[in-house]
Amino acid sequence: MSLKSDQEILENSMHEDDPNGNSALEQTFTEKTAPRWGPQHKGAQELAQLYSPGKRAQEFICVYTCIALMIIDFVLILKHFHFDRIIVTCISAICGIITADFGSGLVHWAADTWGSVELPIIGKNFLRPFREHHLDPTSITRHDFIETNGDNFMVSIPILGFLAYCFNTKSHTDIQQDFGWISYLFLCSIFVAMTNQIHKWSHTYWGLPKWVLFMQNYHIVLPRKHHRIHHVAPHETYFCITTGWLNWPLEKLRFWSTLECLIEFVTGLKPRDDDLKWAKKVT
C-alpha cells in the first residue's frame, strides 16, 4: 500500500459541508448525483435495524457502572496526591493517553478490517457499528450518549475496578510507590472510555462547545480534519481515534498494511471483505 498524497486526501476526504463523504473525483460541483453514503444507504439502514434492546441494556449498565467507578477513583486519587510526585504523575498520564490512542487504533483496525456482522455474539453487537459508520458516517452524531459510549465504557470498567480495589487494599505507602502506575492506568482508562465520544465530536461539524473545539484545534483530542483522512475509501489508514497522535508515525511505518499482509498470507482472508460487501448494498 502506498501512502496517500496530500492531494488525494484533500480530494477524497469528507468536506465539512459534505459530512457523509459523498464527494468523488469524477464529480463536479455542478453535477447533481444521488449521494452514495448516508442514512439513505440500504446497507446502513439494515445495520441500524440490528441494534437490539439487549444491546441497549448492556450499554446502559456499562455507562453508569463506569461513571461511578470514575468518580470513586478520582476522589481517591485526589486524596492520595502529593505535589512532589507531579512530574512522575504527568509523564505516566501522558503515557496512558498514548496507550489509549494505540488501543483505539488496534481495535478500530481489527473491527474495520476483519470479521463479519454474521459472526455469533460479536458480529451484531460489536462489529455492526463499524460497518454502519462507514456507510453512514453521520449516524454516530444521531446516537445518544448511551449508544455512543456503552462499549468503550465497558472496556474501562475492569481497569477502574482494579484501581478502586488497590486503593482499598493497599497501604498509603504502597499507593505512593505505585502512584505513577495508578496515574497511567487512570488516564488510560478515562481516554479509552471517552474514545467514541471524541470520535463523535470529530464528525460533528456544527454546534460543538468551545472547549471541545479548543481541544480539537490544539490536537489534545482527535481533530475533525485529521479524522477525515480515515474516511478516504477504502478506510485503510489513520485508525487511531482517541487523540490521533500515533496515526502519522504508524502510517510512515506501514504498521497496519504490514499486519494485513501477514494475516492475509497466513490465513488467506481478505482485509475489509465484509466492509465492502455492505458497501455494495445500494438503495
Side-chain angles (χ1 to χ4, degrees):
M1 182 193 73
S2 61
L3 298 180
K4 291 181 175 63
S5 67
D6 291 340
Q7 184 63 24
E8 288 175 316
I9 290 168
L10 178 64
E11 290 173 334
N12 289 280
S13 63
M14 300 186 304
H15 301 289
E16 294 198 7
D17 59 351
D18 179 25
N20 277 316
N22 285 306
S23 298
L25 286 174
E26 65 274 10
Q27 291 176 320
T28 67
F29 291 108
T30 58
E31 287 180 331
K32 294 183 179 180
T33 58
R36 295 174 298 166
W37 314 123
Q40 80 291 330
H41 192 285
K42 182 181 178 181
Q45 293 172 354
E46 290 182 18
L47 289 163
Q49 291 171 0
L50 294 176
Y51 183 60
S52 67
K55 177 63 175 172
R56 177 71 177 185
Q58 170 251 309
E59 292 170 344
F60 184 89
I61 293 169
C62 289
V63 165
Y64 282 96
T65 301
C66 187
I67 289 173
L69 288 169
M70 284 179 184
I71 295 170
I72 292 169
D73 286 342
F74 183 65
V75 170
L76 291 170
I77 284 173
L78 290 179
K79 178 182 176 182
H80 291 277
F81 179 73
H82 290 171
F83 279 100
D84 60 347
R85 304 282 292 170
I86 193 166
I87 295 178
V88 172
T89 300
C90 290
I91 293 173
S92 299
I94 291 171
C95 290
I97 295 170
I98 292 172
T99 302
D101 194 42
F102 179 75
S104 75
L106 188 63
V107 172
H108 189 186
W109 166 79
D112 272 6
T113 310
W114 310 107
S116 166
V117 175
E118 282 73 36
L119 286 173
I121 302 176
I122 67 169
K124 291 181 180 179
N125 289 307
F126 299 106
L127 298 183
R128 176 198 65 83
F130 291 87
R131 302 292 178 268
E132 181 188 4
H133 181 58
H134 285 172
L135 301 180
D136 180 11
T138 55
S139 63
I140 193 172
T141 67
R142 301 190 297 275
H143 296 166
D144 65 7
F145 189 84
I146 300 294
E147 186 175 356
T148 299
N149 298 294
D151 289 339
N152 286 80
F153 276 49
M154 178 183 67
V155 173
S156 291
I157 287 173
I159 307 173
L160 293 168
F162 172 74
L163 288 178
Y165 172 80
C166 290
F167 275 119
N168 286 282
T169 57
K170 290 187 175 184
S171 67
H172 179 76
T173 302
D174 289 339
I175 290 173
Q176 290 305 308
Q177 289 178 345
D178 296 338
F179 206 80
W181 178 243
I182 290 170
S183 302
Y184 168 82
L185 288 177
F186 183 71
L187 262 294
C188 181
S189 64
I190 293 297
F191 271 78
V192 166
M194 293 304 296
T195 287
N196 226 29
Q197 185 63 49
I198 293 168
H199 182 201
K200 180 178 179 177
W201 289 334
S202 75
H203 284 279
T204 305
Y205 294 146
W206 303 277
L208 284 174
K210 289 183 179 180
W211 61 271
V212 174
L213 293 173
F214 174 85
M215 290 196 297
Q216 288 179 334
N217 290 337
Y218 287 92
H219 210 147
I220 299 169
V221 299
L222 183 71
R224 290 176 294 183
K225 291 183 179 180
H226 181 93
H227 181 56
R228 276 155 43 190
I229 298 172
H230 172 70
H231 283 271
V232 178
H235 312 95
E236 60 187 358
T237 188
Y238 274 45
F239 292 100
C240 298
I241 54 173
T242 304
T243 63
W245 296 348
L246 296 179
N247 280 323
W248 187 83
L250 290 175
E251 177 77 355
K252 290 299 182 183
L253 291 170
R254 289 179 165 81
F255 182 81
W256 306 115
S257 58
T258 301
L259 279 181
E260 289 171 16
C261 289
L262 289 172
I263 292 172
E264 185 175 359
F265 177 78
V266 172
T267 67
L269 297 173
K270 297 290 184 182
R272 287 167 290 278
D273 189 49
D274 189 58
D275 200 46
L276 180 61
K277 182 191 77 173
W278 285 98
K280 288 180 178 178
K281 288 179 179 281
V282 295
T283 54

